[in-house]
Amino acid sequence: MKQWRAVSHDIWQGRDDTAEAANALRLFQTVARCADFAPQQAEGSIALLGFACDEGVKRNRGRPGAAEAPDVLRQALANMASHAGHRELTDLGNIVISGNRLEEAQQALRDAVLTCQQAGKRTLVLGGGHETAYGHGLGVLDAFPQKKVGIINLDAHLDLRHAPHATSGTPFRQLAHYCETQQRDFHYGCFGLSLAANTQALLDETAKRNVTIVEDLRCLNEPDAALAALHRFMAELEVIYLTVDLDVLPASQMPAVSAPAALGVPAAMLMRMIEPICRSGKLRAADLVEFNPACDRDKQGASLAARIAWQITHWWG
């Protein structure tokens, strides 16, 4: 796979506490690493992939920088404690973009995800812009052609834009079109939506496609109702693909994104939504997207994004 790169040995580093106790372990000591892209030989049941690409963000006139995110997030994860679930993690490297050829990179990610899923692995992808979701989502849909696959997007934006080419704002419209070509239903829920960040045209698209939406204000003011809506959406599905756009968080908690949220859904509430998804037994794929190290402050965004990835892996395991 010409668009695949192994991760440098320098990335997974941390504090060694094993002199204190044999089980005083951190992720850098328990994550398995592959020198080649070989999911069938991977030790754990969770395949970690990076998608080092922000061409979609550039096309969407956002702030570039998310292409650097996968390895920065690995570094933030490396020194975190290793608990239940974390020994299931195998790092299978990065998918990279060549020049500005976004569609080729998305196809490479699609192929990599499909290979992992067919090998019985769950996929955890570190983006990259939200263009990550098109390649990741296609790989999941391809892996489960006879299943009712649903997409849960924790995001301030619907990303259902119409554009002449793929961007970070188009992935779910593209996935909807793909489902149409396959004559299968499109199951999509967006939780944490900001009405202020989505035009009426985008809301019309949700009505047309029967998209489930739960606004950020409802998550804040009626958390139990928001969670109930999430559970209703999950109940209809057989396979879940979770995508976490980090701009769903308040700018005060997550400054390091292309479009910081003026309001946002706080991390504590976001975790309340993520936990039942991970524990549902239906989650086969998850990603974190839009983290932009160039816009971070004192590694605040990296730490929170890594904690979310850490928590997903822990609950998943």
Side-chain angles (χ1 to χ4, degrees):
M1 190 184 298
K2 67 179 182 179
Q3 287 166 289
W4 179 86
R5 301 289 185 275
V7 174
S8 168
H9 290 290
D10 296 335
I11 297 298
W12 290 102
Q13 301 288 335
R15 170 175 167 163
D16 187 346
D17 286 333
T18 52
E20 174 186 337
N23 62 350
L25 297 171
R26 299 175 186 271
L27 259 69
F28 79 94
Q29 294 165 309
T30 61
V31 66
R33 283 163 270 183
C34 289
D36 301 296
F37 182 74
Q40 298 87 348
Q41 301 170 22
E43 296 178 20
S45 64
I46 301 173
L48 176 66
L49 288 166
F51 187 62
C53 173
D54 58 11
E55 174 62 22
V57 176
K58 295 173 186 175
R59 294 182 186 184
N60 203 32
R61 293 179 286 180
R63 298 192 293 180
E68 307 302 320
D71 283 355
V72 173
L73 293 179
R74 284 181 173 96
Q75 289 175 320
L77 276 165
N79 207 42
M80 292 183 171
S82 182
H83 290 301
H86 297 127
R87 289 180 181 271
E88 296 300 315
L89 199 60
T90 298
D91 191 345
L92 286 173
N94 290 324
I95 303 298
V96 300
I97 187 170
S98 177
N100 62 358
R101 296 198 286 272
L102 170 59
E103 290 77 9
E104 288 183 10
Q106 288 173 317
Q107 183 62 46
L109 178 60
R110 175 187 188 173
D111 294 342
V113 168
L114 176 59
T115 301
C116 290
Q117 293 285 346
Q118 289 178 332
K121 311 296 182 186
R122 294 163 288 175
T123 46
L124 176 61
V125 177
L126 304 177
H130 219 161
E131 61 267 31
T132 304
Y134 185 52
H136 199 180
L138 285 174
V140 176
L141 287 165
D142 290 346
F144 300 98
Q146 306 303 321
K147 298 286 187 181
K148 187 180 290 187
V149 176
I151 303 163
I152 297 176
N153 181 26
L154 304 181
D155 195 346
H157 307 93
L158 288 162
D159 291 339
L160 284 166
R161 287 181 181 275
H162 175 74
H165 48 228
T167 77
S168 62
T170 63
F172 304 112
R173 192 179 188 120
Q174 292 176 275
L175 289 170
H177 287 164
Y178 178 72
C179 286
E180 288 174 359
T181 67
Q182 299 296 304
Q183 296 184 316
R184 61 193 295 180
D185 292 334
F186 177 59
H187 302 283
Y188 174 45
C190 183
F191 297 80
L193 171 84
S194 167
L195 278 184
N198 294 271
T199 65
Q200 186 60 51
L202 291 170
L203 295 175
D204 291 345
E205 189 70 16
T206 67
K208 172 185 172 183
R209 300 193 179 278
N210 197 29
V211 174
T212 296
I213 58 173
V214 175
E215 295 176 39
D216 50 6
L217 283 172
R218 195 174 189 200
C219 294
L220 291 167
N221 298 330
E222 303 175 70
D224 290 341
L227 288 167
L230 175 64
H231 281 279
R232 285 194 298 272
F233 182 74
M234 289 196 295
E236 301 299 318
L237 306 173
E238 295 175 281
V239 172
I240 295 174
Y241 159 42
L242 168 66
T243 178
V244 183
D245 187 326
L246 294 162
D247 70 21
V248 73
L249 292 155
S252 59
Q253 293 185 338
M254 181 52 67
V257 289
S258 178
L263 184 63
V265 179
M269 179 58 192
L270 202 67
M271 292 295 196
R272 289 185 65 190
M273 302 177 79
I274 291 172
E275 182 174 6
I277 299 170
C278 294
R279 297 192 186 279
S280 68
K282 301 177 180 181
L283 183 64
R284 292 294 313 175
D287 57 45
L288 279 76
V289 300
E290 295 287 338
F291 173 66
N292 186 340
C295 301
D296 209 356
R297 296 196 300 258
D298 298 324
K299 300 183 179 179
Q300 174 187 353
S303 296
L304 179 52
R307 175 59 193 270
I308 294 170
W310 184 98
Q311 204 70 54
I312 289 172
T313 309
H314 179 55
W315 284 327
W316 218 352

Coordinates of all heavy atoms in Angstrom, one line a residue, residues 170-245:
T170 N -18.3 17.4 3.4 CA -19.2 16.6 2.5 C -19.3 15.1 2.8 O -20.1 14.4 2.2 CB -18.7 16.7 1.0 OG1 -17.4 16.1 0.9 CG2 -18.7 18.1 0.5
P171 N -18.6 14.6 3.8 CA -18.5 13.1 3.9 C -19.8 12.4 4.1 O -20.0 11.3 3.5 CB -17.6 12.9 5.2 CG -17.7 14.2 6.0 CD -17.9 15.3 5.0
F172 N -20.8 13.0 4.8 CA -22.0 12.2 5.1 C -23.0 12.3 3.9 O -23.8 11.4 3.7 CB -22.6 12.7 6.4 CG -21.6 12.5 7.5 CD1 -21.1 13.6 8.2 CD2 -21.2 11.3 7.9 CE1 -20.2 13.5 9.2 CE2 -20.2 11.1 8.9 CZ -19.7 12.2 9.5
R173 N -22.9 13.4 3.2 CA -23.7 13.5 1.9 C -23.1 12.4 0.9 O -23.9 11.7 0.3 CB -23.6 14.9 1.3 CG -24.7 15.1 0.2 CD -24.6 16.5 -0.4 NE -25.7 16.8 -1.3 CZ -26.6 17.7 -1.1 NH1 -26.6 18.4 -0.1 NH2 -27.5 17.9 -2.1
Q174 N -21.8 12.3 0.9 CA -21.2 11.3 0.0 C -21.6 9.9 0.5 O -21.9 9.0 -0.4 CB -19.7 11.5 0.1 CG -19.2 12.7 -0.6 CD -17.6 12.9 -0.4 OE1 -17.2 13.3 0.6 NE2 -16.9 12.4 -1.4
L175 N -21.6 9.6 1.8 CA -21.9 8.3 2.3 C -23.4 8.0 2.0 O -23.8 6.9 1.7 CB -21.6 8.2 3.7 CG -20.2 8.1 4.1 CD1 -20.0 8.2 5.6 CD2 -19.5 6.8 3.6
A176 N -24.3 9.1 2.1 CA -25.7 8.9 1.7 C -25.8 8.5 0.3 O -26.6 7.6 -0.1 CB -26.4 10.2 2.0
H177 N -25.1 9.2 -0.6 CA -25.1 8.8 -2.0 C -24.6 7.4 -2.3 O -25.2 6.7 -3.1 CB -24.3 9.8 -2.9 CG -24.9 11.2 -3.0 ND1 -24.2 12.3 -3.4 CD2 -26.1 11.6 -2.7 CE1 -25.0 13.3 -3.4 NE2 -26.2 13.0 -3.0
Y178 N -23.6 7.0 -1.6 CA -23.1 5.6 -1.7 C -24.2 4.6 -1.3 O -24.4 3.6 -2.0 CB -21.8 5.4 -0.9 CG -21.3 4.0 -1.0 CD1 -20.6 3.6 -2.1 CD2 -21.4 3.2 0.1 CE1 -20.2 2.3 -2.2 CE2 -20.9 1.9 0.0 CZ -20.3 1.4 -1.1 OH -19.8 0.1 -1.2
C179 N -24.8 4.9 -0.2 CA -25.9 4.0 0.2 C -27.0 3.9 -0.8 O -27.5 2.8 -1.1 CB -26.5 4.5 1.6 SG -25.4 4.2 3.0
E180 N -27.3 5.0 -1.5 CA -28.3 5.0 -2.5 C -27.9 4.1 -3.7 O -28.7 3.3 -4.2 CB -28.5 6.4 -3.1 CG -29.3 7.3 -2.1 CD -29.3 8.7 -2.6 OE1 -28.8 9.0 -3.7 OE2 -29.9 9.6 -2.0
T181 N -26.6 4.1 -4.1 CA -26.1 3.3 -5.1 C -26.1 1.8 -4.8 O -26.2 0.9 -5.6 CB -24.7 3.6 -5.6 OG1 -23.7 3.3 -4.5 CG2 -24.6 5.1 -5.9
Q182 N -26.0 1.5 -3.5 CA -26.1 0.1 -3.0 C -27.5 -0.3 -2.6 O -27.6 -1.4 -2.1 CB -25.1 0.0 -1.8 CG -23.7 0.3 -2.0 CD -23.1 -0.6 -3.0 OE1 -23.1 -1.8 -2.8 NE2 -22.5 -0.1 -4.1
Q183 N -28.4 0.6 -2.8 CA -29.8 0.3 -2.4 C -30.0 -0.2 -1.0 O -30.7 -1.1 -0.6 CB -30.4 -0.7 -3.4 CG -30.5 -0.3 -4.8 CD -31.2 -1.3 -5.7 OE1 -30.9 -2.5 -5.7 NE2 -32.0 -0.8 -6.6
R184 N -29.3 0.6 -0.1 CA -29.4 0.3 1.3 C -29.7 1.6 2.0 O -29.5 2.7 1.5 CB -28.1 -0.3 1.9 CG -26.9 0.6 1.7 CD -25.6 -0.2 2.0 NE -25.5 -0.6 3.4 CZ -24.4 -1.3 3.8 NH1 -23.4 -1.7 3.0 NH2 -24.4 -1.7 5.1
D185 N -30.4 1.5 3.2 CA -30.8 2.7 3.9 C -29.6 3.4 4.5 O -28.6 2.8 4.9 CB -31.8 2.3 5.0 CG -33.1 1.8 4.5 OD1 -33.5 2.1 3.4 OD2 -33.7 1.0 5.2
F186 N -29.7 4.7 4.6 CA -28.7 5.6 5.2 C -29.2 6.0 6.6 O -30.2 6.6 6.8 CB -28.6 6.8 4.3 CG -27.6 7.9 4.9 CD1 -26.3 7.5 5.1 CD2 -28.0 9.2 5.1 CE1 -25.4 8.5 5.6 CE2 -27.1 10.1 5.6 CZ -25.8 9.8 5.8
H187 N -28.5 5.5 7.6 CA -28.8 5.7 9.0 C -27.7 6.6 9.6 O -26.6 6.3 9.8 CB -28.8 4.4 9.8 CG -29.8 3.4 9.3 ND1 -31.1 3.5 9.5 CD2 -29.6 2.3 8.5 CE1 -31.7 2.4 8.9 NE2 -30.8 1.7 8.3
Y188 N -28.2 7.9 9.9 CA -27.2 8.9 10.3 C -27.8 9.7 11.4 O -28.9 10.2 11.3 CB -26.8 9.8 9.1 CG -26.0 11.0 9.4 CD1 -24.8 10.9 10.3 CD2 -26.2 12.2 8.9 CE1 -24.1 12.0 10.6 CE2 -25.4 13.3 9.1 CZ -24.4 13.2 10.0 OH -23.6 14.3 10.2
G189 N -27.1 9.9 12.5 CA -27.5 10.7 13.6 C -26.4 11.7 14.0 O -25.2 11.3 14.1
C190 N -26.7 13.0 14.1 CA -25.8 14.0 14.5 C -26.2 14.6 15.8 O -27.3 15.1 16.0 CB -25.7 15.1 13.4 SG -24.5 16.4 13.8
F191 N -25.3 14.4 16.8 CA -25.6 14.8 18.2 C -24.6 15.9 18.6 O -23.4 15.8 18.4 CB -25.5 13.6 19.1 CG -26.5 12.5 18.8 CD1 -26.2 11.6 17.8 CD2 -27.6 12.4 19.6 CE1 -27.2 10.6 17.5 CE2 -28.6 11.4 19.3 CZ -28.3 10.5 18.3
G192 N -25.2 17.0 19.1 CA -24.3 18.2 19.5 C -24.4 19.3 18.4 O -23.6 20.2 18.5
L193 N -25.3 19.2 17.5 CA -25.5 20.1 16.4 C -25.7 21.5 16.9 O -26.5 21.8 17.8 CB -26.7 19.7 15.6 CG -27.1 20.7 14.5 CD1 -26.3 20.5 13.3 CD2 -28.6 20.4 14.2
S194 N -25.0 22.5 16.3 CA -25.2 23.9 16.5 C -26.0 24.5 15.4 O -25.6 24.5 14.3 CB -23.8 24.6 16.6 OG -24.0 26.0 16.6
L195 N -27.2 24.9 15.7 CA -28.0 25.6 14.7 C -27.4 26.8 14.1 O -27.5 27.1 12.9 CB -29.4 26.0 15.3 CG -30.5 24.9 15.4 CD1 -31.8 25.5 15.9 CD2 -30.7 24.2 14.1
A196 N -26.6 27.5 14.9 CA -25.9 28.7 14.5 C -24.8 28.4 13.4 O -24.4 29.3 12.7 CB -25.3 29.4 15.6
A197 N -24.4 27.1 13.3 CA -23.3 26.7 12.4 C -23.8 25.9 11.2 O -23.0 25.4 10.4 CB -22.3 25.9 13.2
N198 N -25.1 25.8 11.0 CA -25.7 25.0 9.9 C -26.8 25.8 9.3 O -27.7 26.3 10.0 CB -26.2 23.7 10.5 CG -25.1 22.8 11.0 OD1 -24.6 22.0 10.2 ND2 -24.8 22.9 12.3
T199 N -26.7 26.0 8.0 CA -27.7 26.7 7.2 C -29.1 26.0 7.1 O -29.1 24.7 7.4 CB -27.3 27.0 5.8 OG1 -27.1 25.8 5.1 CG2 -25.9 27.8 5.8
Q200 N -30.1 26.7 6.7 CA -31.4 26.0 6.5 C -31.3 25.0 5.4 O -32.0 24.0 5.5 CB -32.5 27.1 6.2 CG -33.9 26.5 6.1 CD -34.3 25.9 7.4 OE1 -34.2 26.5 8.5 NE2 -34.8 24.7 7.4
A201 N -30.5 25.2 4.4 CA -30.3 24.2 3.4 C -29.8 22.9 3.9 O -30.3 21.8 3.5 CB -29.4 24.8 2.3
L202 N -28.9 23.0 4.9 CA -28.4 21.7 5.5 C -29.5 21.1 6.3 O -29.6 19.8 6.3 CB -27.2 22.0 6.3 CG -25.9 22.4 5.5 CD1 -24.8 22.9 6.5 CD2 -25.4 21.2 4.7
L203 N -30.3 21.8 7.0 CA -31.4 21.3 7.8 C -32.4 20.7 6.9 O -33.0 19.6 7.2 CB -32.0 22.4 8.7 CG -31.1 22.9 9.8 CD1 -31.8 24.1 10.5 CD2 -30.7 21.9 10.8
D204 N -32.7 21.3 5.7 CA -33.6 20.7 4.8 C -33.1 19.3 4.3 O -33.8 18.4 4.1 CB -33.7 21.6 3.5 CG -34.5 22.9 3.9 OD1 -35.1 22.9 5.0 OD2 -34.4 23.8 3.1
E205 N -31.7 19.2 4.2 CA -31.1 17.9 3.8 C -31.4 16.9 4.8 O -31.6 15.7 4.5 CB -29.6 18.1 3.5 CG -28.9 17.0 2.9 CD -29.3 16.8 1.4 OE1 -29.9 17.7 0.8 OE2 -29.0 15.6 0.9
T206 N -31.3 17.2 6.1 CA -31.6 16.3 7.2 C -33.0 15.7 7.1 O -33.3 14.6 7.3 CB -31.3 16.8 8.6 OG1 -32.3 17.9 8.9 CG2 -29.9 17.4 8.7
A207 N -33.9 16.6 6.8 CA -35.4 16.2 6.7 C -35.5 15.3 5.5 O -36.2 14.3 5.6 CB -36.2 17.4 6.5
K208 N -34.9 15.6 4.4 CA -35.0 14.8 3.2 C -34.4 13.4 3.4 O -35.0 12.4 2.9 CB -34.2 15.5 2.1 CG -34.0 14.7 0.8 CD -33.1 15.4 -0.2 CE -32.8 14.5 -1.4 NZ -31.9 15.2 -2.3
R209 N -33.4 13.3 4.2 CA -32.7 12.0 4.4 C -33.0 11.4 5.8 O -32.4 10.4 6.2 CB -31.2 12.2 4.3 CG -30.8 12.7 3.0 CD -29.3 12.6 2.7 NE -28.9 13.1 1.4 CZ -29.0 12.4 0.3 NH1 -29.5 11.2 0.3 NH2 -28.7 12.9 -0.9
N210 N -34.0 11.9 6.5 CA -34.5 11.4 7.7 C -33.3 11.2 8.8 O -33.2 10.2 9.4 CB -35.2 10.0 7.5 CG -36.0 9.6 8.7 OD1 -36.5 10.4 9.4 ND2 -36.1 8.3 8.9
V211 N -32.5 12.3 8.9 CA -31.4 12.3 9.8 C -31.9 12.6 11.2 O -32.7 13.5 11.4 CB -30.3 13.3 9.3 CG1 -29.2 13.4 10.3 CG2 -29.8 12.9 7.9
T212 N -31.4 11.9 12.2 CA -31.6 12.2 13.6 C -30.7 13.3 14.0 O -29.5 13.2 13.9 CB -31.4 11.0 14.5 OG1 -32.4 10.0 14.1 CG2 -31.6 11.3 15.9
I213 N -31.3 14.4 14.6 CA -30.4 15.5 15.1 C -30.8 15.8 16.5 O -32.0 15.8 16.8 CB -30.5 16.7 14.2 CG1 -31.9 17.3 14.0 CG2 -29.9 16.5 12.8 CD1 -31.9 18.6 13.3
V214 N -29.8 16.1 17.3 CA -30.0 16.5 18.7 C -29.1 17.7 18.9 O -27.9 17.6 18.8 CB -29.7 15.4 19.7 CG1 -29.8 16.0 21.1 CG2 -30.6 14.2 19.6
E215 N -29.7 18.9 19.2 CA -28.9 20.1 19.2 C -28.0 20.2 20.5 O -28.3 19.5 21.5 CB -29.9 21.3 19.2 CG -30.7 21.5 18.0 CD -31.6 22.6 18.1 OE1 -31.3 23.7 18.7 OE2 -32.8 22.5 17.6
D216 N -27.0 21.0 20.4 CA -26.1 21.2 21.6 C -26.9 21.8 22.8 O -26.6 21.3 23.9 CB -25.0 22.2 21.2 CG -25.5 23.5 20.5 OD1 -26.7 23.7 20.4 OD2 -24.6 24.3 20.1
L217 N -27.9 22.6 22.6 CA -28.6 23.2 23.7 C -29.4 22.1 24.4 O -29.6 22.1 25.6 CB -29.6 24.3 23.2 CG -28.9 25.6 22.9 CD1 -29.9 26.6 22.3 CD2 -28.4 26.2 24.2
R218 N -29.9 21.1 23.6 CA -30.7 20.0 24.3 C -29.7 19.2 25.1 O -30.1 18.7 26.2 CB -31.4 19.2 23.2 CG -32.4 18.3 23.8 CD -33.2 17.6 22.8 NE -34.4 16.9 23.4 CZ -35.0 15.9 22.8 NH1 -34.7 15.5 21.6 NH2 -36.0 15.3 23.4
C219 N -28.5 18.9 24.6 CA -27.5 18.2 25.3 C -27.2 18.9 26.7 O -27.0 18.2 27.7 CB -26.2 18.0 24.5 SG -26.4 17.0 23.0
L220 N -27.2 20.2 26.6 CA -26.8 21.0 27.8 C -28.0 21.1 28.8 O -27.9 20.9 30.0 CB -26.4 22.4 27.4 CG -25.0 22.5 26.7 CD1 -24.9 23.9 26.0 CD2 -23.9 22.2 27.6
N221 N -29.2 21.4 28.2 CA -30.4 21.7 29.1 C -31.2 20.5 29.4 O -31.9 20.5 30.4 CB -31.2 22.8 28.4 CG -30.4 24.1 28.3 OD1 -29.6 24.4 29.0 ND2 -30.8 24.8 27.2
E222 N -31.2 19.5 28.5 CA -32.0 18.3 28.7 C -31.2 17.1 28.5 O -31.4 16.3 27.5 CB -33.2 18.3 27.8 CG -34.1 19.5 27.9 CD -35.2 19.5 26.8 OE1 -36.1 18.6 26.9 OE2 -35.1 20.3 25.9
P223 N -30.1 16.8 29.3 CA -29.2 15.7 29.0 C -29.9 14.4 29.0 O -29.5 13.5 28.1 CB -28.2 15.9 30.1 CG -28.8 16.7 31.2 CD -29.7 17.6 30.5
D224 N -30.8 14.1 29.8 CA -31.5 12.8 29.8 C -32.3 12.6 28.6 O -32.3 11.5 28.0 CB -32.4 12.7 31.1 CG -31.6 12.6 32.4 OD1 -30.4 12.3 32.3 OD2 -32.2 12.9 33.4
A225 N -32.9 13.7 28.1 CA -33.7 13.5 26.8 C -32.7 13.3 25.6 O -33.0 12.5 24.7 CB -34.5 14.8 26.6
A226 N -31.5 14.0 25.7 CA -30.6 13.8 24.6 C -30.0 12.3 24.6 O -29.9 11.7 23.6 CB -29.4 14.7 24.8
L227 N -29.8 11.8 25.8 CA -29.3 10.4 25.9 C -30.4 9.4 25.5 O -30.1 8.4 24.9 CB -28.9 10.1 27.4 CG -27.6 10.8 27.8 CD1 -27.4 10.7 29.3 CD2 -26.4 10.1 27.1
A228 N -31.6 9.7 25.8 CA -32.7 8.9 25.4 C -32.8 8.8 23.9 O -33.1 7.7 23.3 CB -34.1 9.3 26.0
A229 N -32.7 10.0 23.2 CA -32.7 10.0 21.8 C -31.5 9.2 21.2 O -31.7 8.5 20.2 CB -32.6 11.4 21.3
L230 N -30.4 9.2 21.8 CA -29.2 8.4 21.4 C -29.5 6.9 21.5 O -29.3 6.2 20.6 CB -28.0 8.8 22.2 CG -26.7 8.0 22.0 CD1 -26.2 8.2 20.5 CD2 -25.7 8.3 23.0
H231 N -30.1 6.5 22.6 CA -30.4 5.1 22.8 C -31.5 4.6 21.8 O -31.4 3.5 21.3 CB -30.9 4.9 24.2 CG -29.8 4.8 25.2 ND1 -29.1 3.7 25.4 CD2 -29.3 5.7 26.1 CE1 -28.2 3.9 26.4 NE2 -28.3 5.1 26.8
R232 N -32.5 5.5 21.5 CA -33.5 5.1 20.5 C -32.8 4.9 19.1 O -33.1 4.0 18.4 CB -34.6 6.2 20.4 CG -35.5 6.2 21.5 CD -36.8 7.0 21.2 NE -36.5 8.4 21.0 CZ -36.4 9.3 21.9 NH1 -36.6 9.0 23.2 NH2 -36.1 10.6 21.6
F233 N -31.9 5.8 18.8 CA -31.2 5.7 17.5 C -30.4 4.4 17.4 O -30.4 3.6 16.4 CB -30.3 6.9 17.3 CG -29.6 6.9 15.9 CD1 -30.3 7.2 14.8 CD2 -28.2 6.6 15.9 CE1 -29.6 7.2 13.5 CE2 -27.6 6.6 14.6 CZ -28.3 6.9 13.5
M234 N -29.7 4.1 18.5 CA -28.8 2.9 18.5 C -29.6 1.6 18.5 O -29.2 0.6 17.9 CB -27.9 2.9 19.8 CG -26.8 3.9 19.8 SD -25.6 3.5 21.1 CE -26.6 3.7 22.6
A235 N -30.8 1.6 19.1 CA -31.6 0.4 19.2 C -32.0 -0.2 17.8 O -32.2 -1.4 17.7 CB -32.9 0.7 20.0
E236 N -32.0 0.7 16.8 CA -32.4 0.3 15.5 C -31.3 -0.3 14.6 O -31.5 -0.8 13.5 CB -33.1 1.4 14.7 CG -34.3 2.1 15.4 CD -35.4 1.0 15.5 OE1 -35.7 0.3 14.5 OE2 -36.1 1.0 16.6
L237 N -30.1 -0.3 15.2 CA -28.9 -0.6 14.4 C -28.3 -1.9 14.8 O -28.5 -2.5 15.9 CB -27.8 0.5 14.6 CG -28.2 1.9 14.3 CD1 -27.1 2.9 14.7 CD2 -28.6 2.1 12.9
E238 N -27.5 -2.5 13.8 CA -26.8 -3.7 14.1 C -25.3 -3.4 14.2 O -24.6 -4.1 15.0 CB -27.0 -4.7 12.9 CG -28.4 -5.2 12.8 CD -28.6 -6.1 11.6 OE1 -28.7 -5.5 10.5 OE2 -28.6 -7.3 11.8
V239 N -24.8 -2.4 13.5 CA -23.4 -2.0 13.5 C -23.3 -0.5 13.6 O -24.1 0.2 12.9 CB -22.7 -2.5 12.2 CG1 -21.2 -1.9 12.1 CG2 -22.6 -4.0 12.1
I240 N -22.4 0.0 14.5 CA -22.3 1.4 14.7 C -20.9 1.9 14.3 O -19.9 1.2 14.7 CB -22.6 1.8 16.1 CG1 -24.0 1.5 16.5 CG2 -22.2 3.3 16.4 CD1 -24.4 1.7 18.0
Y241 N -20.8 3.0 13.6 CA -19.6 3.7 13.3 C -19.7 5.1 14.0 O -20.6 5.8 13.7 CB -19.4 3.9 11.8 CG -18.5 5.0 11.4 CD1 -17.3 5.3 12.1 CD2 -18.8 5.8 10.3 CE1 -16.5 6.3 11.7 CE2 -18.0 6.8 9.9 CZ -16.8 7.1 10.6 OH -16.0 8.1 10.2
L242 N -18.8 5.3 15.0 CA -18.8 6.5 15.8 C -17.8 7.5 15.3 O -16.6 7.1 15.2 CB -18.6 6.2 17.2 CG -18.3 7.4 18.2 CD1 -19.5 8.4 18.3 CD2 -17.9 6.9 19.5
T243 N -18.1 8.7 14.9 CA -17.1 9.7 14.6 C -17.3 10.9 15.5 O -18.4 11.4 15.6 CB -17.2 10.1 13.1 OG1 -16.3 11.1 12.7 CG2 -18.6 10.5 12.7
V244 N -16.2 11.3 16.1 CA -16.1 12.4 17.0 C -15.4 13.6 16.4 O -14.1 13.5 16.3 CB -15.5 12.0 18.4 CG1 -15.5 13.2 19.4 CG2 -16.1 10.7 19.0
D245 N -16.1 14.6 16.0 CA -15.5 15.8 15.5 C -15.2 16.7 16.8 O -16.2 17.1 17.5 CB -16.4 16.5 14.6 CG -15.7 17.7 13.9 OD1 -14.9 18.4 14.6 OD2 -16.0 18.0 12.7

